[in-house]
Amino acid sequence: MKNGLARHLTIATVLTVLSTFGMYFVLKSLFALPVQATVEGAKIDRMFDGHWWVISALFSLIIVFMLYAIFAFSRKEGEEGEGMYMHGNMALEVTWTVAPLILVLAFGWWGSALLSELLDDSRDSEAITIQVDAYKWAWRFKYPQEMGGVETSTLYLPKDRLIVLEMESQDVIHSFWIPEFRVKQDILPGRKTYLRFTPSMTTQEIADAHGDSSYQPQVRCAEICGTSHAYMLAPVEVLTDQAAFDEALFNAGQLSADPVERGEKWYVDYGCNSCHSMDGSLDGKAGPTWLGIYGREEELVDGSVVIADDDYIRSSIYYPNEQIVAGYAPNIMPNNFEAQFLEQQQKIKNEINQDIDIVSDLIEFMKTLEE
Ligand code: CUA
């Protein structure tokens, strides 16, 4: 009998080990993570990997022993007696209590050590600090004054530099998330939150590793924040080095002399595109499409009809709650565009002495979107 037990244990243990490797492989391929593109992401993935191993081992331990017992110890032809009665096994019970306890404590320690490393602000002085403004439903990134104070709707980053994001929401709770970077942080109104990471791959390298050279990594919002939550996206451009990064930022800060081109830039920069499509696709959702909007007759919620001319469009952007188009809800559109535009126009005036009217640019752009 003793020999028999040793044999059963050996077989079950070998099967458990084999199953652990098999399960690990299955889980890793079934729930493959996106490309890993930050230094911090590598550490997070290592911990994630540790979880996969533990999950595979525990699953195998339970399932293999159970299935093995069902097949090896089922009643054989001609067996009539009672099965062996067992009551308690101190060594076994202590083991299955203490081992998981140690395992859970170890993972708890690992997780909190890694979290405190990610929150460490002692190297902030050598980092590039970018202000992130989140609002329904767009992102704006403001670069430091010594980098020209450029504001963009694309997140430009240099590879291999520590980045600190200083984030604040203008309205509800949003959440900054780039799947390839692994780290994620909620953004709150009236309170700053921070996120630190070091990109380890350029956008092109990420796309190539993704298996599609035209793939575009994006900032996503990971907190349900309303109608256009799913469209709250911003492209991420990780450049090879500081020089390429400086050049990209400089180009992003340039203003076209063509009002239509500027209008298209503002349309993207201020996130109009999250709610107002250029092709009618979002119509009936967050906001009316801009396709054919200029000169269109709009019926308002009070039944009156207006023509979408310059004055109507300007007041709709500045005071979005005053004239609501039938079928749409008030309080959807940010109502601080007037202040934002005046500030931006003043900045442009100070920097390059150019008089720009953002609303006129937008209207010029709208005029090109004919049906
Ligand atoms: Cu912002 Cu979801």
Side-chain angles (χ1 to χ4, degrees):
M1 188 63 207
K2 260 265 155 340
N3 260 341
L5 180 65
R7 194 174 62 92
H8 284 309
L9 272 178
T10 310
I11 297 173
T13 305
V14 169
L15 288 176
T16 301
V17 171
L18 289 177
S19 163
T20 299
F21 280 93
M23 273 311 293
Y24 173 78
F25 177 76
V26 168
L27 287 173
K28 281 279 275 191
S29 22
L30 219 54
F31 303 103
L33 294 170
V35 175
Q36 172 209 99
T38 56
V39 172
E40 295 73 12
K43 295 174 186 172
I44 292 168
D45 283 5
R46 218 170 295 140
M47 191 168 75
F48 216 86
D49 215 47
H51 283 90
W52 281 144
W53 279 116
V54 171
I55 290 167
S56 308
L58 284 178
F59 176 82
S60 302
L61 189 67
I62 294 161
I63 299 297
V64 168
F65 271 77
M66 187 180 77
L67 291 179
Y68 185 83
I70 289 173
F71 288 105
F73 305 122
S74 58
R75 192 166 68 91
K76 304 287 178 322
E77 208 42 54
E79 274 182 351
E80 292 296 336
E82 294 280 315
M84 189 170 69
Y85 179 74
M86 266 189 286
H87 184 91
N89 183 326
M90 198 53 158
L92 199 57
E93 283 170 25
V94 169
T95 309
W96 79 43
T97 307
V98 173
L101 181 70
I102 293 173
L103 202 61
V104 168
L105 287 176
F107 270 97
W109 176 81
W110 190 355
S112 54
L114 183 51
L115 183 61
S116 71
E117 195 184 325
L118 297 178
L119 296 175
D120 175 26
D121 60 2
S122 64
R123 287 170 55 228
D124 281 10
S125 56
E126 47 187 277
I128 299 178
T129 302
I130 304 168
Q131 316 271 341
V132 178
D133 240 354
Y135 57 93
K136 295 192 285 185
W137 286 279
W139 303 93
R140 271 182 87 65
F141 308 104
K142 298 181 185 166
Y143 289 83
Q145 219 48 52
E146 62 269 25
M147 292 182 177
V150 178
E151 286 186 28
T152 64
S153 54
T154 294
L155 181 58
Y156 294 100
L157 304 166
K159 188 178 156 180
D160 299 328
R161 274 287 303 267
L162 177 64
I163 307 293
V164 179
L165 300 183
E166 193 180 307
M167 310 189 285
E168 199 166 357
S169 167
Q170 292 182 14
D171 37 52
V172 299
I173 300 177
H174 302 278
S175 186
F176 183 99
W177 183 39
I178 302 170
E180 286 82 4
F181 287 10
R182 299 296 188 271
V183 288
K184 183 161 74 173
Q185 174 63 51
D186 274 8
I187 307 177
L188 311 170
R191 182 172 135 190
K192 285 191 169 136
T193 52
Y194 298 84
L195 193 61
R196 296 172 180 81
F197 52 80
T198 314
S200 58
M201 275 177 128
T202 64
T203 289
Q204 197 52 55
E205 285 164 346
I206 294 172
D208 291 340
H210 185 80
D212 169 6
S213 61
S214 63
Y215 172 74
Q216 175 66 60
Q218 284 180 309
V219 179
R220 290 157 197 283
C221 178
E223 185 72 59
I224 299 275
C225 55
T227 318
S228 282
H229 156 73
Y231 304 101
M232 192 168 163
L233 305 164
V236 181
E237 290 302 337
V238 185
L239 289 312
T240 31
D241 51 26
Q242 189 70 36
F245 168 69
D246 290 341
E247 192 191 332
L249 260 198
F250 176 79
N251 289 336
Q254 295 304 297
L255 265 193
S256 166
D258 176 7
V260 175
E261 273 179 30
R262 286 200 306 264
E264 183 166 10
K265 172 183 156 65
W266 307 131
Y267 172 68
V268 176
D269 274 7
Y270 286 99
C272 313
N273 58 344
S274 298
C275 300
H276 305 280
S277 72
M278 280 163 59
D279 58 6
S281 57
L282 294 172
D283 225 15
K285 298 202 174 99
T289 182
W290 281 11
L291 179 66
I293 194 168
Y294 190 77
R296 184 164 68 198
E297 284 192 354
E298 295 278 26
E299 195 189 333
L300 304 181
V301 280
D302 63 9
S304 62
V305 172
V306 292
I307 302 281
D309 57 11
D310 293 43
D311 288 341
Y312 168 79
I313 290 169
R314 183 177 297 273
S315 81
S316 292
I317 294 172
Y318 285 171
Y319 320 109
N321 288 329
E322 291 192 357
Q323 290 170 300
I324 305 290
V325 175
Y328 295 93
N331 301 315
I332 296 284
M333 187 158 146
N335 58 10
N336 62 349
F337 279 130
E338 184 172 23
Q340 284 201 66
F341 288 2
L342 289 179
E343 191 191 332
Q344 176 75 285
Q345 286 162 193
Q346 190 55 50
K347 207 173 121 200
I348 293 168
K349 175 86 179 151
N350 294 343
E351 279 165 14
I352 54 175
N353 196 28
Q354 202 173 337
D355 279 309
I356 290 217
D357 179 45
I358 293 178
V359 173
S360 304
D361 290 350
L362 285 169
I363 290 173
E364 289 310 311
F365 172 59
M366 283 176 190
K367 285 179 184 168
T368 66
L369 303 173
E370 284 173 295
E371 264 175 297

